[in-house]
Amino acid sequence: MTESISRKELCGYLSLLRRQLAGQSLFPAPNVIFLNSRALYHHLAKQTCGGITVGEILQKIETCIPLAVTEESFSLFLSVCKEPKAERTRSFLESSKADFLLLIHQAAENEPQWCALTALCEKLRQRNLRT
């Protein structure tokens, strides 16, 4: 599990991601098409953002990224996958991070959506501090 981060660090990382993803195309060129969200994630994760990569930022805030699953549904997902457990978990987390980057991209220029997203991340950060 990653270290817990402060509210100030979380807000700083989210702001970096917002500036990186706001108002820009997620694709490097008009004729580039990613085959799946994993390919898009690998492209975005390597981009430099505030002196570190987007992937490193996501790793630091991993416990604050909202996932639309419950513990029960995640366990069910893992039980039916054919990949080894470690690969399944890594693959799922990468997919969740890719979805989160798309959510940031969509909310970055809409202040009410951005505030709701940051509030959700902060709520998750606080909950993880208690557990």
Side-chain angles (χ1 to χ4, degrees):
M1 178 172 255
T2 58
E3 280 184 33
S4 61
I5 63 173
S6 69
R7 175 175 168 63
K8 184 178 178 179
E9 289 173 312
L10 174 62
C11 290
Y13 289 134
L14 290 173
S15 292
L16 283 173
L17 291 173
R18 183 183 192 185
R19 282 194 303 268
Q20 180 75 18
L21 299 173
Q24 76 166 10
S25 171
L26 297 182
F27 304 101
N31 61 341
V32 173
I33 297 173
F34 292 100
L35 297 176
N36 54 36
S37 63
R38 182 181 278 182
L40 174 61
Y41 170 74
H42 284 288
H43 164 71
L44 292 174
K46 292 177 185 173
Q47 290 186 2
T48 303
C49 180
I52 61 177
T53 66
V54 169
E56 290 169 329
I57 291 173
L58 290 173
Q59 189 172 9
K60 291 180 183 293
I61 66 169
E62 192 170 77
T63 60
C64 305
I65 294 174
L67 303 174
V69 297
T70 64
E71 188 173 322
E72 182 181 329
S73 64
F74 185 59
S75 295
L76 180 61
F77 166 77
L78 290 177
S79 70
V80 298
C81 286
K82 295 180 180 165
E83 298 173 357
K85 186 174 182 176
E87 177 61 24
R88 284 181 271 164
T89 302
R90 185 188 64 75
S91 177
F92 181 78
L93 288 174
E94 282 182 359
S95 177
S96 298
K97 289 175 183 177
D99 291 343
F100 183 64
L101 289 175
L102 292 172
L103 183 59
I104 288 175
H105 178 69
Q106 292 171 346
E109 294 185 25
N110 182 309
E111 200 59 34
Q113 287 180 358
W114 180 253
C115 290
L117 177 63
T118 57
L120 178 58
C121 291
E122 171 58 17
K123 187 181 268 187
L124 289 170
R125 186 192 72 79
Q126 289 176 4
R127 183 179 301 156
N128 288 324
L129 286 177
R130 286 185 246 135
T131 58

